[in-house]
Amino acid sequence: MSLIQIYQCMCDETRLRILNLLQAGELCVCHVQEILNEPQVKISKHLSYLKTRGMVEVRREANWMIYSLPTRPSRELKSNLACLQDCVAEDPVFRRDTAKLAKLRGKFTDTSPICCAKANRATAVAK
Amino acid sequence: MSLIQIYQCMCDETRLRILNLLQAGELCVCHVQEILNEPQVKISKHLSYLKTRGMVEVRREANWMIYSLPTRPSRELKSNLACLQDCVAEDPVFRRDTAKLAKLRGKFTDTSPICCAKANRATAVAK
DNA sequence: CGAGCATATACCTATTAAGGTATATGCAAG
DNA sequence: CTTGCATATACCTTAATAGGTATATGCTCG
């Protein structure tokens, strides 16, 4: 993953919002979708874009695809993610996303991973 | 200039190389052209791209257009330029550009601004 | 094995980007 | 006022992006 590719990934608002969310931990597609309030196909395609460029990793958990930032990020990626974090700290859209995520997280007893799989299991247990 | 625009400006190698050079000070088009070894039209168009997005400023000095980074960069821009600097510090292409610029600078007695205007005046004086 | 859920992909359209060639602009020097 | 230099712009072509609609895939559960 080259520096150029990092910037290519970061030059779209939807992708920036996704990356911002993933900094707080892994997420399944449906939760990203819910937080950003965008159509499934849009989210899916942006995640795919990020994945082909090595900006995110995926694993499957039953029906759900769980996306996360690379476990071993390059120095460039680390720098840029930190920079992003710094830049959006006071941006209303990003703050709102982060707040929404925290709220979603609040629905679960433990902290990670957050995904529909867990949501489902949680509600299953609740029943 | 939004954060997205900053990343849009940074997602092309030519533009990254230009921004890297400009971090060392203002430059005229012909010197950028010489250092990057790319056609005039290519450089000019990328500079224009950067300018319309507020990433660079321009002033005319006789025949020459002298480009520089904004005198009052936003916090986001400052962060990202610093991050870029950090990321390319060991990249051979960027290092070579910087070295070439230093060599060019070496041709002049004083340090700034470096541009063809100055080169011309210098040779004129030499004559 | 059939239905349903979460996600991905095919396909289409419109927009933008990147590069090239040719030409125009603006200034300065004679 | 013409020439030359530095730079910008118009115009063209090709490729990449972004978004949408429709459909396919892969898994789970009954």
Side-chain angles (χ1 to χ4, degrees):
Chain A
M1 168 194 29
S2 71
L3 187 58
I4 302 292
Q5 284 183 313
I6 293 177
Y7 288 125
Q8 283 174 345
C9 287
M10 299 179 84
C11 73
D12 174 274
E13 186 178 4
T14 304
R15 289 196 293 267
L16 270 193
R17 292 173 70 189
I18 292 173
L19 292 171
N20 175 56
L21 286 178
L22 290 180
Q23 296 218 55
E26 57 182 17
L27 274 171
C28 69
V29 181
C30 55
H31 276 184
V32 176
Q33 193 181 328
E34 190 181 337
I35 295 170
L36 300 200
N37 194 30
E38 297 279 2
Q40 182 263 328
V41 66
K42 181 170 173 179
I43 300 295
S44 181
K45 281 199 284 190
H46 279 298
L47 283 168
S48 165
Y49 184 107
L50 292 170
K51 191 184 152 212
T52 58
R53 282 156 184 82
M55 285 285 284
V56 298
E57 291 172 355
V58 205
R59 70 166 208 276
R60 176 181 282 278
E61 188 168 326
N63 258 335
W64 301 271
M65 302 300 282
I66 300 184
Y67 284 82
S68 54
L69 295 176
T71 41
R72 290 275 294 124
S74 66
R75 210 171 63 87
E76 289 90 16
L77 182 52
K78 254 188 282 185
S79 298
N80 275 290
L81 287 174
C83 185
L84 173 63
Q85 191 122 283
D86 177 51
C87 286
V88 304
E90 289 165 23
D91 182 285
V93 173
F94 290 84
R95 283 176 71 92
R96 203 166 127 278
D97 288 345
T98 304
K100 268 191 171 182
L101 174 56
K103 203 174 164 190
L104 221 52
R105 282 244 163 93
K107 293 188 181 172
F108 309 104
T109 49
D110 55 348
T111 53
S112 132
I114 216 173
C115 65
C116 291
K118 176 138 298 191
N120 243 48
R121 281 195 306 268
T123 47
V125 168
K127 287 179 206 159
Chain B
M1 169 194 28
S2 72
L3 188 57
I4 302 292
Q5 284 183 313
I6 292 177
Y7 288 125
Q8 283 174 345
C9 286
M10 298 180 84
C11 72
D12 174 273
E13 188 179 2
T14 303
R15 288 196 291 268
L16 270 193
R17 292 173 70 191
I18 292 174
L19 291 172
N20 175 55
L21 286 179
L22 290 181
Q23 297 217 55
E26 56 182 16
L27 274 171
C28 68
V29 180
C30 56
H31 276 182
V32 175
Q33 192 181 330
E34 189 180 336
I35 295 170
L36 300 200
N37 195 31
E38 297 279 3
Q40 181 263 326
V41 64
K42 183 170 172 181
I43 301 295
S44 181
K45 281 199 285 190
H46 279 298
L47 283 169
S48 165
Y49 185 106
L50 292 170
K51 191 183 152 214
T52 58
R53 282 156 185 82
M55 285 285 283
V56 297
E57 291 172 355
V58 206
R59 71 165 206 277
R60 177 180 282 278
E61 188 168 327
N63 256 334
W64 301 272
M65 300 300 281
I66 301 185
Y67 284 83
S68 55
L69 296 175
T71 40
R72 290 275 295 125
S74 65
R75 209 171 64 87
E76 289 90 14
L77 182 51
K78 256 189 280 186
S79 297
N80 275 290
L81 287 174
C83 184
L84 172 63
Q85 191 122 282
D86 177 52
C87 286
V88 304
E90 288 164 25
D91 182 285
V93 172
F94 289 84
R95 284 177 69 92
R96 203 165 127 279
D97 287 345
T98 305
K100 268 191 172 182
L101 173 56
K103 203 173 164 190
L104 221 52
R105 283 245 163 91
K107 293 188 183 173
F108 308 103
T109 49
D110 56 347
T111 52
S112 133
I114 217 173
C115 65
C116 291
K118 177 140 296 189
N120 244 47
R121 282 196 305 268
T123 46
V125 168
K127 287 180 206 158

